[in-house]
Amino acid sequence: MDRPAAILIVEGSGRGFLSHYSHALALGLHEAGHRVRLVTAPCDELSDWAVPFERHATLRPGLSGWRELLNQTRRFGPEIVHFQWLSDPVGASLYVRWARRRGAAVLYTPHNLLPHRGRWMTMPLFRRLYRVFDRVIVRDEAMRWAAHEMLDVDPDRMSMATGSPNIIAHPSAPATMPPEAPARRPGEIRALHFGHGCHRKGLEPMLRALARTDCPENLHLLLAGSGVARGIAPAILRAARRKVRVSVIDRYLEPGEVAGLFGAADLVAMPYAKLCRSPILDLAAAFRRPVLRTGRVEATRFDEGRHGMTIRHGDFAAFAEALAGLARAPERLREMKRALREGPDFTSEMVALAARHTAIYADTMAWMRARAGDPCGRAVPVMAGE
């Protein structure tokens, strides 16, 4: 794109990874010279953070939200509308057709191809919705394959943009420790297990294994997040605490507190039983923290021994031993953290993400002109550079 564009980014949750990613993308596009407006939910957890681009935390669920988006589109007059998450395929399909009649290109980045709830019931509706977008931006090859195989998305209408810069890792972002967090002890190795509670994250079997493991005194396991200890039998937690120091912060944490927790962690523990591509892995990378994971935690890129260690799924005894072993050999953690710090920092990742999106937007607009018979339009290889 050889000139600045008006770009409307739509992210309706206002919380967690989706909000952080959308803010980082908006900031990168703004700093690249584009006119950017981010429309997000009234519960925007970053509302207290000053941003140099336009931000409207006015997008409510349901019909009122679509009305608000129509008004925002009319007032802003975007050339590009870029959705980051959708749960209403019917309303979205109607909006996309309306926005395209106004000359806007409409793109979608599905951070999950289908919503967590009712995914199989809504799949036919989402399959039709995906065909309406001018471009679908996927974040890795696995999602591109799944979008084509499961939802019949034309590969020629997909582009890929890798990288997950997280705005809470910005050098000037606030970072505070939660008041419940225990003080750090001399020589402590702090392992952080972070996120919403879910039995498929393998926390209970990991605690059972730790209760049978000879753990060093310097190991401190910190569990943090809303409902993080949900479903864990008190007896299992007590048994684990007889062998290892375990602290629990069971509530939703503000972005600055999340930054404080990750900044103070020595490693991130992900003993997941479920197969997933968790944003926690991206968050750990953003803060240059090594990860101890099971093979169920998938990543676009994970260099064994540099980004962390991978334990075979289901072998929680091996996971507990690895956790204890890293606490006994803190120099291995320091080496991994040094290697991670040698990689690209937040700013360079944000610039690269914005540049990749700028190229995708330009390709999409050129494709739309060519399809409409504009004599200035040209055929563009949409997968170029991937």
Side-chain angles (χ1 to χ4, degrees):
M1 190 176 292
D2 55 4
R3 60 176 179 79
I7 303 167
L8 181 67
I9 298 176
V10 185
E11 193 287 297
S13 74
R15 306 182 83 180
F17 169 77
L18 288 172
S19 174
H20 305 167
Y21 180 92
S22 301
H23 275 78
L25 175 60
L27 180 59
L29 291 169
H30 168 81
E31 293 189 352
H34 299 292
R35 189 164 65 95
V36 179
R37 178 179 292 191
L38 171 63
V39 183
T40 186
C43 63
D44 175 23
E45 66 180 11
L46 298 177
S47 60
D48 293 337
W49 295 29
V51 294
F53 51 85
E54 285 189 58
R55 178 178 55 188
H56 298 260
T58 54
L59 204 59
R60 299 182 183 278
L63 185 58
S64 64
W66 289 115
R67 287 184 183 134
E68 171 63 11
L69 187 56
L70 293 176
N71 291 333
Q72 290 283 351
T73 306
R74 290 189 187 99
R75 292 196 295 266
F76 187 60
E79 299 163 80
I80 299 289
V81 179
H82 189 174
F83 284 91
Q84 297 296 317
W85 173 247
L86 286 166
S87 59
D88 177 5
V90 176
S93 182
L94 293 172
Y95 171 84
V96 171
R97 290 182 170 89
W98 175 84
R100 288 175 66 183
R101 287 197 297 271
R102 298 179 63 88
V106 188
L107 300 88
Y108 181 36
T109 297
H111 298 275
N112 288 303
L113 287 176
L114 296 167
H116 293 298
R117 297 178 179 176
R119 62 178 60 187
W120 304 118
M121 293 176 60
T122 58
M123 180 183 280
L125 296 173
F126 273 96
R127 183 179 286 116
R128 287 195 287 271
L129 172 63
Y130 275 95
R131 294 173 184 167
V132 175
F133 288 110
D134 296 299
R135 189 66 48 81
V136 175
I137 302 177
V138 293
R139 296 181 54 228
D140 55 50
E141 288 288 355
M143 186 168 283
R144 172 153 48 195
W145 178 89
H148 176 57
E149 291 295 321
M150 295 173 55
L151 299 170
D152 199 28
V153 182
D154 184 349
D156 288 340
R157 290 181 49 251
M158 283 190 278
S159 295
M160 190 163 65
T162 59
S164 299
N166 194 301
I167 197 72
I168 69 173
H170 191 286
S172 64
T176 58
M177 287 298 291
E180 308 98 313
R184 194 179 187 95
R185 295 176 182 173
E188 174 183 316
I189 295 298
R190 182 169 293 191
L192 175 65
H193 177 84
F194 176 79
H196 293 285
C198 174
H199 72 278
R200 294 185 298 159
K201 291 184 176 180
L203 183 56
E204 184 170 279
M206 182 188 73
L207 290 172
R208 277 202 208 98
L210 283 171
R212 298 189 296 268
T213 302
D214 183 17
C215 297
E217 291 184 359
N218 66 333
L219 177 58
H220 178 196
L221 178 62
L222 178 57
L223 316 178
S226 177
V228 67
R230 182 187 300 125
I232 296 175
I236 292 174
L237 187 56
R238 285 195 300 270
R241 280 175 163 158
R242 285 194 286 268
K243 289 295 189 74
V244 64
R245 185 184 179 202
V246 181
S247 301
V248 180
I249 304 175
D250 190 348
R251 65 175 174 85
Y252 189 85
L253 293 140
E254 297 300 322
E257 294 177 315
V258 176
L261 286 172
F262 274 82
D266 295 293
L267 78 157
V268 177
M270 301 182 71
Y272 286 23
K274 66 175 182 176
L275 182 67
C276 69
R277 305 182 74 83
S278 172
I280 304 301
L281 201 61
D282 296 320
L283 195 55
F287 283 93
R288 308 295 189 266
R289 292 299 179 261
V291 173
L292 180 63
R293 65 171 185 168
T294 67
R296 286 296 181 95
V297 181
E298 296 184 336
T300 302
R301 180 183 178 187
F302 191 91
D303 298 335
E304 196 70 20
R306 179 173 176 265
H307 292 105
M309 295 171 56
T310 306
I311 305 300
R312 185 170 60 87
H313 160 62
D315 194 346
F316 290 100
F319 195 97
E321 288 290 350
L323 195 57
L326 287 170
R328 292 190 192 97
E331 66 278 2
R332 292 183 63 190
L333 288 171
R334 287 193 290 268
E335 288 170 5
M336 285 189 277
K337 284 193 278 190
R338 277 195 298 269
L340 288 167
R341 284 196 294 269
E342 291 172 359
D345 60 9
F346 169 83
T347 301
S348 59
E349 287 195 350
M350 181 186 70
V351 169
L353 188 71
R356 179 68 188 127
H357 277 79
T358 297
I360 292 170
Y361 297 155
D363 285 351
T364 305
M365 294 173 71
W367 173 75
M368 290 178 66
R369 290 195 300 269
R371 187 180 60 175
D374 186 334
C376 296
R378 56 188 176 88
V380 178
V382 299
M383 306 306 285
E386 298 178 6

